[in-house]
mmCIF file of all heavy atoms in Angstrom:
data_model
loop_
_atom_site.group_PDB
_atom_site.id
_atom_site.type_symbol
_atom_site.label_atom_id
_atom_site.label_comp_id
_atom_site.label_asym_id
_atom_site.label_seq_id
_atom_site.Cartn_x
_atom_site.Cartn_y
_atom_site.Cartn_z
ATOM 1 N N PRO A 57 -28.340 0.153 1.236
ATOM 2 C CA PRO A 57 -28.934 -0.551 2.389
ATOM 3 C C PRO A 57 -27.986 -1.600 2.968
ATOM 4 O O PRO A 57 -27.118 -2.132 2.260
ATOM 5 C CB PRO A 57 -30.192 -1.211 1.795
ATOM 6 C CG PRO A 57 -30.503 -0.392 0.583
ATOM 7 C CD PRO A 57 -29.184 0.075 0.036
ATOM 8 N N LYS A 61 -22.057 -7.918 7.425
ATOM 9 C CA LYS A 61 -20.882 -7.460 8.173
ATOM 10 C C LYS A 61 -19.608 -8.090 7.625
ATOM 11 O O LYS A 61 -19.614 -9.227 7.149
ATOM 12 C CB LYS A 61 -21.033 -7.824 9.653
ATOM 13 C CG LYS A 61 -22.210 -7.136 10.342
ATOM 14 C CD LYS A 61 -22.416 -7.660 11.757
ATOM 15 C CE LYS A 61 -21.347 -7.149 12.701
ATOM 16 N NZ LYS A 61 -21.610 -7.563 14.104
ATOM 17 N N ALA A 64 -12.494 -7.029 9.880
ATOM 18 C CA ALA A 64 -11.115 -6.656 9.567
ATOM 19 C C ALA A 64 -10.242 -7.082 10.737
ATOM 20 O O ALA A 64 -10.609 -6.886 11.903
ATOM 21 C CB ALA A 64 -11.005 -5.155 9.343
ATOM 22 N N VAL A 113 0.619 2.153 12.563
ATOM 23 C CA VAL A 113 1.669 2.856 11.838
ATOM 24 C C VAL A 113 1.004 3.895 10.942
ATOM 25 O O VAL A 113 0.163 3.557 10.099
ATOM 26 C CB VAL A 113 2.508 1.891 10.979
ATOM 27 C CG1 VAL A 113 3.520 2.660 10.134
ATOM 28 C CG2 VAL A 113 3.218 0.877 11.869
ATOM 29 N N PHE A 155 -7.634 -9.317 6.236
ATOM 30 C CA PHE A 155 -6.430 -9.221 7.060
ATOM 31 C C PHE A 155 -5.589 -8.029 6.603
ATOM 32 O O PHE A 155 -5.078 -7.989 5.493
ATOM 33 C CB PHE A 155 -5.627 -10.520 6.988
ATOM 34 C CG PHE A 155 -6.324 -11.661 7.669
ATOM 35 C CD1 PHE A 155 -7.145 -12.515 6.932
ATOM 36 C CD2 PHE A 155 -6.202 -11.858 9.028
ATOM 37 C CE1 PHE A 155 -7.825 -13.558 7.550
ATOM 38 C CE2 PHE A 155 -6.874 -12.894 9.668
ATOM 39 C CZ PHE A 155 -7.693 -13.746 8.921
ATOM 40 N N ASP A 164 2.344 -12.273 14.685
ATOM 41 C CA ASP A 164 1.225 -12.826 15.457
ATOM 42 C C ASP A 164 0.062 -13.361 14.631
ATOM 43 O O ASP A 164 -0.923 -13.835 15.180
ATOM 44 C CB ASP A 164 0.707 -11.801 16.486
ATOM 45 C CG ASP A 164 0.181 -10.525 15.869
ATOM 46 O OD1 ASP A 164 0.222 -10.393 14.623
ATOM 47 O OD2 ASP A 164 -0.270 -9.640 16.621
ATOM 48 N N GLU A 208 -1.807 -24.092 -1.300
ATOM 49 C CA GLU A 208 -1.317 -24.985 -2.352
ATOM 50 C C GLU A 208 -2.049 -24.735 -3.671
ATOM 51 O O GLU A 208 -3.281 -24.780 -3.737
ATOM 52 C CB GLU A 208 -1.499 -26.443 -1.927
ATOM 53 C CG GLU A 208 -0.808 -27.441 -2.833
ATOM 54 C CD GLU A 208 -0.880 -28.849 -2.263
ATOM 55 O OE1 GLU A 208 -2.002 -29.374 -2.116
ATOM 56 O OE2 GLU A 208 0.187 -29.412 -1.946
ATOM 57 N N LYS A 218 11.797 -8.463 -2.620
ATOM 58 C CA LYS A 218 12.483 -7.255 -3.089
ATOM 59 C C LYS A 218 12.007 -6.026 -2.332
ATOM 60 O O LYS A 218 12.812 -5.169 -1.948
ATOM 61 C CB LYS A 218 12.261 -7.074 -4.591
ATOM 62 C CG LYS A 218 12.961 -8.109 -5.463
ATOM 63 C CD LYS A 218 12.622 -7.886 -6.927
ATOM 64 C CE LYS A 218 13.270 -8.942 -7.815
ATOM 65 N NZ LYS A 218 12.879 -8.770 -9.242
ATOM 66 N N LYS A 228 15.836 -10.714 6.842
ATOM 67 C CA LYS A 228 15.900 -12.175 7.020
ATOM 68 C C LYS A 228 16.182 -12.574 8.458
ATOM 69 O O LYS A 228 15.758 -13.641 8.911
ATOM 70 C CB LYS A 228 16.967 -12.767 6.095
ATOM 71 C CG LYS A 228 16.590 -12.742 4.622
ATOM 72 C CD LYS A 228 17.662 -13.387 3.761
ATOM 73 C CE LYS A 228 17.283 -13.368 2.285
ATOM 74 N NZ LYS A 228 18.332 -13.991 1.438
ATOM 75 N N PHE A 231 12.583 -11.045 10.744
ATOM 76 C CA PHE A 231 11.292 -11.722 10.628
ATOM 77 C C PHE A 231 11.452 -13.233 10.742
ATOM 78 O O PHE A 231 12.521 -13.779 10.433
ATOM 79 C CB PHE A 231 10.649 -11.378 9.281
ATOM 80 C CG PHE A 231 10.333 -9.919 9.122
ATOM 81 C CD1 PHE A 231 11.037 -9.130 8.225
ATOM 82 C CD2 PHE A 231 9.335 -9.321 9.875
ATOM 83 C CE1 PHE A 231 10.755 -7.782 8.081
ATOM 84 C CE2 PHE A 231 9.038 -7.975 9.741
ATOM 85 C CZ PHE A 231 9.748 -7.204 8.852
ATOM 86 N N PHE A 273 -8.303 -1.613 -4.845
ATOM 87 C CA PHE A 273 -8.763 -2.609 -5.816
ATOM 88 C C PHE A 273 -9.086 -3.934 -5.129
ATOM 89 O O PHE A 273 -10.048 -4.620 -5.492
ATOM 90 C CB PHE A 273 -7.706 -2.806 -6.904
ATOM 91 C CG PHE A 273 -8.132 -3.731 -8.012
ATOM 92 C CD1 PHE A 273 -9.298 -3.493 -8.721
ATOM 93 C CD2 PHE A 273 -7.369 -4.841 -8.345
ATOM 94 C CE1 PHE A 273 -9.705 -4.348 -9.739
ATOM 95 C CE2 PHE A 273 -7.767 -5.697 -9.355
ATOM 96 C CZ PHE A 273 -8.931 -5.444 -10.054
ATOM 97 N N MET A 278 -13.259 -7.763 -3.342
ATOM 98 C CA MET A 278 -14.007 -8.510 -2.329
ATOM 99 C C MET A 278 -15.501 -8.237 -2.453
ATOM 100 O O MET A 278 -16.325 -9.150 -2.319
ATOM 101 C CB MET A 278 -13.512 -8.152 -0.919
ATOM 102 C CG MET A 278 -12.120 -8.667 -0.609
ATOM 103 S SD MET A 278 -11.542 -8.208 1.064
ATOM 104 C CE MET A 278 -12.689 -9.145 2.107
ATOM 105 N N LEU A 301 2.914 5.038 -13.354
ATOM 106 C CA LEU A 301 4.133 4.279 -13.062
ATOM 107 C C LEU A 301 4.075 2.875 -13.661
ATOM 108 O O LEU A 301 5.082 2.364 -14.166
ATOM 109 C CB LEU A 301 4.337 4.210 -11.546
ATOM 110 C CG LEU A 301 4.749 5.545 -10.898
ATOM 111 C CD1 LEU A 301 4.526 5.507 -9.387
ATOM 112 C CD2 LEU A 301 6.201 5.875 -11.215
ATOM 113 N N ILE A 315 -0.125 9.173 -20.867
ATOM 114 C CA ILE A 315 -1.116 8.922 -19.809
ATOM 115 C C ILE A 315 -1.236 10.141 -18.903
ATOM 116 O O ILE A 315 -2.339 10.555 -18.532
ATOM 117 C CB ILE A 315 -0.728 7.674 -18.985
ATOM 118 C CG1 ILE A 315 -0.798 6.412 -19.851
ATOM 119 C CG2 ILE A 315 -1.622 7.524 -17.766
ATOM 120 C CD1 ILE A 315 -2.191 6.029 -20.294
ATOM 121 N N LEU A 319 -4.665 12.241 -18.467
ATOM 122 C CA LEU A 319 -5.312 12.375 -17.167
ATOM 123 C C LEU A 319 -5.470 13.837 -16.763
ATOM 124 O O LEU A 319 -6.561 14.267 -16.372
ATOM 125 C CB LEU A 319 -4.507 11.617 -16.101
ATOM 126 C CG LEU A 319 -4.584 10.085 -16.128
ATOM 127 C CD1 LEU A 319 -3.515 9.484 -15.220
ATOM 128 C CD2 LEU A 319 -5.962 9.603 -15.707
ATOM 129 N N THR A 322 -6.574 16.382 -20.541
ATOM 130 C CA THR A 322 -7.837 16.010 -21.206
ATOM 131 C C THR A 322 -8.964 15.734 -20.219
ATOM 132 O O THR A 322 -10.093 16.199 -20.418
ATOM 133 C CB THR A 322 -7.616 14.764 -22.098
ATOM 134 O OG1 THR A 322 -6.529 15.002 -22.988
ATOM 135 C CG2 THR A 322 -8.874 14.431 -22.889
ATOM 136 N N SER A 336 11.377 7.567 -8.199
ATOM 137 C CA SER A 336 12.704 7.899 -8.727
ATOM 138 C C SER A 336 13.768 7.597 -7.675
ATOM 139 O O SER A 336 14.872 7.135 -7.996
ATOM 140 C CB SER A 336 12.764 9.369 -9.153
ATOM 141 O OG SER A 336 12.751 10.247 -8.043
ATOM 142 N N ARG A 364 -0.005 23.889 -16.635
ATOM 143 C CA ARG A 364 -0.797 24.203 -17.843
ATOM 144 C C ARG A 364 -2.283 24.137 -17.554
ATOM 145 O O ARG A 364 -3.055 25.004 -17.986
ATOM 146 C CB ARG A 364 -0.449 23.233 -18.966
ATOM 147 C CG ARG A 364 0.831 23.512 -19.710
ATOM 148 C CD ARG A 364 1.190 22.376 -20.637
ATOM 149 N NE ARG A 364 0.119 22.057 -21.574
ATOM 150 C CZ ARG A 364 0.072 20.936 -22.302
ATOM 151 N NH1 ARG A 364 1.030 20.021 -22.169
ATOM 152 N NH2 ARG A 364 -0.909 20.720 -23.132
#
Side-chain angles (χ1 to χ4, degrees):
K61 296 173 73 175
V113 175
F155 291 93
D164 61 359
E208 190 173 63
K218 291 177 182 177
K228 289 182 180 180
F231 297 111
F273 185 55
M278 290 179 66
L301 289 163
I315 294 293
L319 287 168
T322 307
S336 71
R364 281 171 55 194

